[in-house]
Amino acid sequence: DLPDALPKLPPVIQQRVKHIVTENARTLDAVEALRAGDLVRTGELFNASHTSLRDDYEVSCTELDVIVALAQEQPGCYGARMSGGGFGGCAVALVDKAHVEAFVAAVAPAYTQQTGLTPDLYAVLPSPGSGVGITFCV
């Protein structure tokens, strides 16, 4: 119903609603892509998410946009997006394990050259999220 609803809203609210609705769809699509092992599709969704966060929700900043763009240009990077609350902070890149060292070696100095800032880059492996447990104290 998004195409019918958007024209009824003020322009800024249109952008925000568009981001929220499309981000929810991207999240569901990412679950399917990850379950299928489709990293190319997952990366595309990361990239689309960043674009929407930047343009529709307007919570990105130059520093995040630069590091995301640098990440997206690297061989072996499926996709990248800002993460967290926005207006500075973190970006996440989905990078093929074989390319991680070259990715870090390329992105860090390029980022410093473009922004004058020194980034902290961490190579991490995905793991299962937390679960629900019961603790009994007596």
Side-chain angles (χ1 to χ4, degrees):
D1 298 335
L2 188 60
D4 292 331
L6 286 180
K8 299 173 186 170
L9 301 170
V12 171
I13 302 302
Q14 286 180 27
Q15 288 176 241
R16 304 305 187 258
V17 168
K18 179 183 170 198
H19 167 74
I20 292 166
V21 171
T22 59
E23 188 74 353
N24 287 341
R26 280 188 291 275
T27 301
L28 296 174
D29 289 348
V31 169
E32 289 181 26
L34 287 167
R35 285 186 177 147
D38 189 346
L39 298 180
V40 171
R41 178 69 180 136
T42 303
E44 292 168 351
L45 293 164
F46 270 45
N47 294 339
S49 178
H50 184 77
T51 298
S52 182
L53 285 161
R54 182 192 65 214
D55 298 345
D56 292 329
Y57 216 60
E58 297 182 302
V59 292
S60 192
C61 61
T62 301
E63 294 81 4
L64 281 170
D65 295 341
V66 168
I67 204 157
V68 166
L70 288 168
Q72 291 169 338
E73 295 170 358
Q74 301 309 307
C77 180
Y78 295 102
R81 67 182 294 265
M82 64 163 283
S83 179
F87 306 116
C90 297
V92 176
L94 182 59
V95 180
D96 186 274
K97 189 174 181 179
H99 292 87
V100 170
E101 286 184 37
F103 176 92
V104 171
V107 171
Y111 183 78
T112 300
Q113 182 181 23
Q114 289 189 33
T115 66
L117 302 170
T118 303
D120 291 319
L121 277 68
Y122 304 98
V124 297
L125 294 172
S127 63
S130 63
V132 176
I134 300 174
T135 303
F136 293 97
C137 298
V138 230

